[in-house]
Amino acid sequence: MSLTTPRADRLRAVRRAWYRFRRNPAAVVGLAMVLLVFVVAIFAPLVAPFPEHVGGFVDFRNRHQPPSWTHPFGTDNAGRDILSRVIFGYRISLTLVVFVLGLAVPFGVLLGLLAGYYGGWVETVIMRLTDVFLAIPALVMALAITAALSPTLLNSMIALALLWWNWHTRLIYTTVASLKHEEYVEAAKVAGASDFHILFRELLPNCVSVISVKTTLDAGFVILIGAGLSFLGLGAQPPTPDLGTMVSSGANYLPEYWWGSIFPGLAILFTILGFNLLGDGLRDLLDVEVN
Amino acid sequence: MSGNLLELNQLSKRFPVRKGLFQRVVGHVNAVDGVDLTIGRGEIVGLAGESGSGKSTVARMIVGLLTPTEGTVTFDGEDVSKQLGTLAFKRRVQMVFQNPGSSLNPRRSVADALKVPLRVHGVPSSTWAERIRSLLEMVELPATFAQKYPHELSGGQKQRVAIARALAVQPELIVLDEPTSALDVSVQAKVIELLLRIRDELDLAYLFISHDLSLMRNFSDRVGVMYLGKLAEMGTSDDLFLRPQHPYTQGLLASIPVVSEAEEALKPTQRHLKGEIPSPANVPSGCRFRTRCPHAFDACREVAPTFHELSATHASRCHLHDPALAGSAEPTKA
Amino acid sequence: MNTVQIFGTIDPAKVTDYTEYMAAANLYDGLVDVDETGAIVPLLADSWEVSDDAKQFTFTLKDGATFHDGSPVEASDVVYSVRRLLTIDQGPSYLVRDVLDVDGVQALDNNTVQFTLSEIFSPFLTTVPLMFVVNEEVVEANAVDGDWGQEYLNNNAAGAGPYMLDSWTRGSSMTVKRYEDWHMGWHAEAIDQVRWLVTNDEATVRSLAAAGDLHMTSQYQSNETYDALANSGNFRVVEEPTATGFTLKLNTKVAPTDDVHVRRAIACAMDYETIREFIFPSDPMAGPLPPSFGDAVLDTIEVAEYDLDCAREEMAQSKYAGQDNIPISHLYVANTPFEEEIALMFDAVFTELGFDVTLMAEPWNLITEMATDVNQTPNVNQIFFGPTYPSADSMLFTQYHSDAAGTWASMEWLQDEQVDSLIDQARRTADVSEQNELYQQAQARIMELQPNAFLGLQTVRHAMDNCLEGFRYVPMQSFDYNFSNYSWTCN
Amino acid sequence: MPDDAPLLSVRDLRVSFRTFDGQADVLQGVNLDVPRGTRVGLVGESGCGKSVTMKTIMGTLATPPARVTHGQIMFDGQDLLTMPAARRNRLKGTDMSMVFQDPTTSLNPVFRVGHQMEDIVRWSDRRRGIQRNHKARKARVLEVLEMVRLADGERIYDAFPIQLSGGMRQRIIIGMALLNEPRLLIADEPGTALDVTTQDEILRLMDDLVREEGLSLLMITHNLGVVRQMTDHVYVMYAGSVVEDSPTAELFDNPSHPYTKALLACVPKLDGTATYEGIGGSLPDYTDPPAGCRFHPRCPHATDRCLTRPPAFTVRPGHTAACWLHEPEAHA
Amino acid sequence: MEYLFFVVRRLLWSVVVLLGLSIVIFTIARVVPGDPARIALGPLAAQEQVDKLRTEMGLDAPLPVQYARYAGGLLQGDLGRSLLTQQSVNSDVRQTFPATLELVLATLILALAIGLPLGVLAGRYKDSLFDNLGRFVALFGVVTPSFFIALLLQLLAGYVLQILPVSGRLSPNLEFEANRTGLLLIDSLIAGRMDVFGDAVRHLILPTIALAAATIGQIARLTRSSMIDVSRKDYIEASRAFGIPNRITTFTYMLRPSFIPTLTVLGLEFASLLGNAFLVEMVFGWPGMASYGVRAIMQNDFNAVMGVVMVTGLFFVLINLVVDVLLGYVDPRIRIKGSQS
Ligand SMILES: Nc1ncnc2c1ncn2[C@@H]1O[C@H](COP(=O)(O)OP(=O)(O)OP(=O)(O)O)[C@@H](O)[C@H]1O
Ligand SMILES: Nc1ncnc2c1ncn2[C@@H]1O[C@H](COP(=O)(O)OP(=O)(O)OP(=O)(O)O)[C@@H](O)[C@H]1O
Ligand SMILES: [Mg+2]
Ligand SMILES: [Mg+2]
């Protein structure tokens, strides 16, 4: 136990984490994939070969062109460049993720904290509510809600946000229910700390790794379910380039014009895979139990 | 007895036991059942007893983590059972937990941990840094430790931080719930030494909970032995270790593995205890120790024994001390 | 044959959509039938007479017609059926409910039925084919609590039509088989059995065809499917022009399509040729009435052409001239690729013209819902409309008359007094040429108001097995799928 | 094979772990002998390598991250480390056995006690080439249950571990270890998870059984009192090597190594004569251990000599200490 | 006894969950913009017709009254009447549910048959080539959208190789009515119609694979990690130390305890399996409850939507009850102590 400065220690801890992360090649690949998707989405207008094909654009004389150098992914039924639309499609997917998780995670975490910490009727009410939401597939519920609100991208995001909190609530609830018996929580109580302090300063920081791993994994699944919704026609509406919608409208032209469906599908797969590899890597790194 | 810092009067705690289709309350665990205990200023009182005997429950009631079902906690002449949660009281009574690993939040630095009581009890924030430094100094840790996180500390160091945290608001009583049971003997010795030094410096009183009787012998002025929620025997260290009266105390002492012949000679020659501790949810009738007691006789089954004052400082809860009842049974030799 | 929708009900008093009428047309017969020219021809009735005031219609039943259970078709059955239709009041009854009540239909004797209308309604005769005749005894025997046998007819058929219900799995298939004693008799190559398969996608259609399990596709397949089937060698694609118009209905009551110049701009800015050639194969359509309505058609109307300059000019004259990002909404039926393509095309052109286009894809029944409220009706609506009964009235009244406003057929919300009065007059005129004159005036007025962009006349296309013959377009609700008119030419 | 050769003999055992911080040389040449029919103790503070030693002997150490870099483990004259895995497994199933520390985690919670015990009999039978049917095997299980003083064997046979108390479970674990009639019993802190009185009872029972069955016992613990009560000979371990070994009584009377002395001094005494000096400093970091004697940074007697690793010097017959203080010349 | 109480309590609780679900879904259904009466009558109906039907359907009553009526019906197992098929939702569900059940059961069986051994072996031979391969396969199963797998399978097996039918449940030329259990595979065997059986199996293959992929992945991953967790337990070390052969240790002593978390999560994962069924049924034109549900949702057939959601919820709850019972069988800790909450 040599004497070191706290900063050097901290640095060492970060290096150690990165070292452990790096030893998991899958996680590194996942990180790279996620970063790639983010970069491509952010700089979409610069990256996409035909950015104008994304909005109101049709060229029916060029419909269903097979993949070529000009159109690496081919063109769709309105003669639009599929690659460009995929690239812009990532914007939609990521917006979906950010919106849904941005709303659902804080809300779910808060409920989970309250239920786990207070127990009693607070727990009963919150956890039974999550049971109700659990009893029905997210996709089905999202379908029902989206259809009820009329199918638009915003509505499907709202529907998913309305459903997603319960997973985080459950996770945080179990985590907190076991953490609250930790002696450090009791120690804080003995010191006179308020519930607020205990919830947000003592318990929440200990949920961060669980939350971040779960959120990373969820990002993939939000995209998955979002794609499912738009596959059924309840997501973003044309001409917005949504990946799920592209797969489903491309499916009308299978098998001859397979590229219209396959490339957007692979693009979805790519993101979800990226988020999952990253999430799995983080889970190993932070050594937490999710699920 | 009015000079006592802390008085427990018939303190009891029952936990409901739920069962059946609708999880109705079908009974109670009498975790603590009518405990009387006093601690004077600057005194170290030990509480011994095996797992599940209710030691921690007593501790948690004293610091206000649990509310007693019955009985009172009097602190400095004031009945605080109803206001266990108040800040003024909390400042004066602190607690150090068993496990140094889990009593510090892994996500918060040493300084963060020490700031909690300071903030809560209204210490002006300008003085915090200074205060933290002097607290660390008091527990013999370098000031640089303020920025460390628990995982960077050894067990003994963590326990020192926990002690520093308890000292932060200048309490008068610290409840130590098995503070060294997770530590190696060599580390334990250092922590115990530290506790004793601080007691002398600050004139603190300790309630010391442990099932290590050898440690108890050395550390405490007076010791109580608990069995299934009740005090079985209470006396000064000498009373208890040189003249154990309750068969349970005797059995307990006989079970201690010791390292020298000298100690071996001090152990009661009594037969070893057999069998398991009954469940506190289903306490035996009469004397709760009778199921394992080598001297049990008929009366033990029917009548719950009361405390017999054997001297001014020594009391034991056993029918053997009652000549009327123990007539038939052979009395123990001291 | 495949269908893309499921059969909801087969109760002739409740059928509403194309698929349901298709089932009813095969299982049931009415008093009269419609041929491909739109003429009314005898079916269960041999002959009929119209009173001078055009309010009384008397039908004489033919002899020897029997229901599927063998019992004879009698006047009482007809009366029962019509009363049932009017009482349940859910299916085709909307056509006549205003002019006919339950006492308006009487059996004069065992084989004479008389209808008495409360006011003159010249197209009445053309609605009679939709009054399918049910077997009174069977229905009543199975009725519960005077429900007119609704529960029973929901799942069973009790008609006198050419085919009898054989098996029916809702959501997947329905099979009907020939009723050997059908009163019209059978020709040698007649179809024995018809099975409709409900399909959800093109892939299924193609694989069914490849496996030899499909001999005729629905009219709603994609170009690719037709091509693929035609290339397979076993199929040919049969095209028939129809009287069904595919139009953009422009809501005349909400901005910016409340301005006739904007509407004309829209009419100028559609690339009709591309649509007809690449997106939705169809015939040119000039005005509100398809050419098949013969003398009623105003033949001076020219077919519109794609002309962006014209569109710009019209825009310049409109009250929205000079504005940018004028919001305009465009509605089409969700999950119909060609409609989506037209919508995309619209989007591309009108974004260019300075509009802020919102595309709305909705399921059909939501569209019908939106149509009931003028403010919920989008500016531009892609709608198919064909005659439900073979009369120009069906085209004009249903789409353009104020009384018909609030349905999907009249999403223009035209509500023009002049048009209304012309249509009303025509309805009350028994004289045909006078009537045609009125219809032509109405068309002229409508063209002036330009409530539509006429994209084209649907050519209905089916891929049909080379051995299957007999598809003819009939200007009446699914009557072209009466399989007794089809034949199997191979052995 | 001479009969006086020890049953188990560990020679210069070295084990390393691969960690982020580099290679951790945990065992640094452990030597210990378990003579036939004796009870040998291995004591030392937490983290000194007791369990690693035991796991290496039993062959349950996870490799990687661990690696045995050097040494011999002779059992009955055969080297466990070099023999084929199958032979070693055979020995495990027959001649060696162990008692685990924690009775709550060492029994499989989802199988009946009888099932678990009978399986052990079945496989040890197979290894020995014995044919026994279910009834005979069950009889053997019941016999052992009686041996460990569990009345009501039939009920316990059909019980799941959760239905039994900690003390009973610990007895069952001891019983399992005895089922295949081993010659060597290794016990890693048995019963420390139990109450003092129960633990005491278990230890006494084990002691009786070892004597009755004529077993050799290797007892691993950090409790010096337990060692004193249970063993004939003790090895004291510090940071991966044995620093002192001696007949038990002798060790407590005459501790020789400074570490042993300091450790004994730390143990609170029942006579109230404890000193609270403790041992300064802490256990070294295995990835960067001090050169020479690993105890020297904490040793009050440390000199430059200590930078070289001391061999085990004989203090008295049968009593050695690895400390330069006991170098014969130094004594002289 | 405690265990029985535990199961009964779960059962009672399930009823409450379903009731809660009915409130949620009722609320959602009632904000649907469509007018149910209008939907039922079709687009050309006159307004008076619509109003008449509204009153008949009880849509004029205040919402709580409507809910009370609906819930009353629910308790008697009456799901109301579908607007589109004009028949009771019960009979629609009765017609479509067996198809879904058949698909889902086949999926579960396939997923367990592949996922479990995959997980066990991967966990047993951690970090081996097989492990890495297995993890890769499992990961892809989990992350690939089921509809995409479905499309790929259709493309590959249906068009390119042309070996399997890509749509429907039975070739339309086969006349067969599954009227005993509704499950084609079973009914055809009972009827001795091997042709039907073979055809049904061929139709079942692709949808089952598409639906099972994610579940296989989940099971394999879970089993693998719980195998690894369990392999670190003291009792496994003990079993090895007592000389039980590795093979027995792995397949007996490790497998059963590692199955517990797998089973628990499998119960919860069942919801996403049902969700995926909605997509897969659509792609393969599987005439099941999910296709029925999607159609109902798309067309705002509110009674049908509520019916499908309720039945789905019921199915989920039932499966979890089965899981609870199985858990009690696998894990005596649950059976003996009963479990809290
Ligand atoms: N929150 C609770 N709910 C129910 N029973 C409890 C609760 N807390 C403690 N008990 C029960 O009360 C009894 C006394 O527990 P307590 O923790 O006070 O014992 P202890 O003497 O501190 O034991 P140990 O030495 O194991 O710490 C035990 O039987 C325990 O199971
Ligand atoms: N798998 C491992 N990877 C890295 N280091 C390990 C591993 N297992 C043990 N060690 C290290 O080996 C050293 C000795 O561990 P061991 O478990 O033998 O101690 P012990 O003497 O049994 O202690 P205790 O009394 O706490 O059981 C410890 O410092 C530990 O960190
Ligand atoms: Mg305690
Ligand atoms: Mg150990």
Side-chain angles (χ1 to χ4, degrees), chain C residues 134-155:
Chain C
V134 302
N135 187 335
E136 181 178 6
E137 290 99 80
V138 172
V139 173
E140 275 308 304
N142 290 290
V144 258
D145 313 334
D147 74 340
W148 293 88
Q150 289 187 54
E151 191 65 48
Y152 178 72
L153 285 188
N154 232 353
N155 297 299

Side-chain angles (χ1 to χ4, degrees), chain D residues 24 71 74 125 135 153 186 190 201-202 237 246 251:
Chain D
M74 306 297 287
D125 279 0
K135 244 176 105 180
I186 301 181
E201 216 183 326
I202 294 289
M237 217 173 156
S246 149
L251 185 95

Side-chain angles (χ1 to χ4, degrees), chain D residues 274-317:
Chain D
T275 53
Y276 301 111
E277 266 154 35
I279 307 173
S282 54
L283 212 61
D285 178 359
Y286 283 111
T287 53
D288 184 21
C293 171
R294 282 185 174 178
F295 186 61
H296 85 256
R298 304 170 76 184
C299 181
H301 311 286
T303 64
D304 285 350
R305 294 285 310 264
C306 301
L307 290 174
T308 334
R309 201 178 154 201
F313 297 111
T314 305
V315 183
R316 251 168 288 250

Side-chain angles (χ1 to χ4, degrees), chain C residues 468-482:
Chain C
L468 187 63
E469 294 275 359
F471 174 75
R472 304 274 180 285
Y473 174 73
V474 178
M476 176 127 188
Q477 202 59 275
S478 303
F479 274 52
D480 22 19
Y481 301 107
N482 183 336

Side-chain angles (χ1 to χ4, degrees), chain B residues 213-258:
Chain B
L213 287 162
S214 305
L215 183 58
M216 208 52 116
R217 166 79 176 119
N218 292 285
F219 189 68
S220 309
D221 303 326
R222 286 191 300 127
V223 179
V225 177
M226 284 186 77
Y227 186 76
L228 279 182
K230 272 195 184 315
L231 274 174
E233 185 167 1
M234 177 89 218
T236 62
S237 259
D238 284 348
D239 285 338
L240 219 93
F241 288 91
L242 299 178
R243 300 173 287 279
Q245 287 304 310
H246 197 283
Y248 176 61
T249 317
Q250 293 170 349
L252 211 52
L253 284 175
S255 307
I256 304 172
V258 293

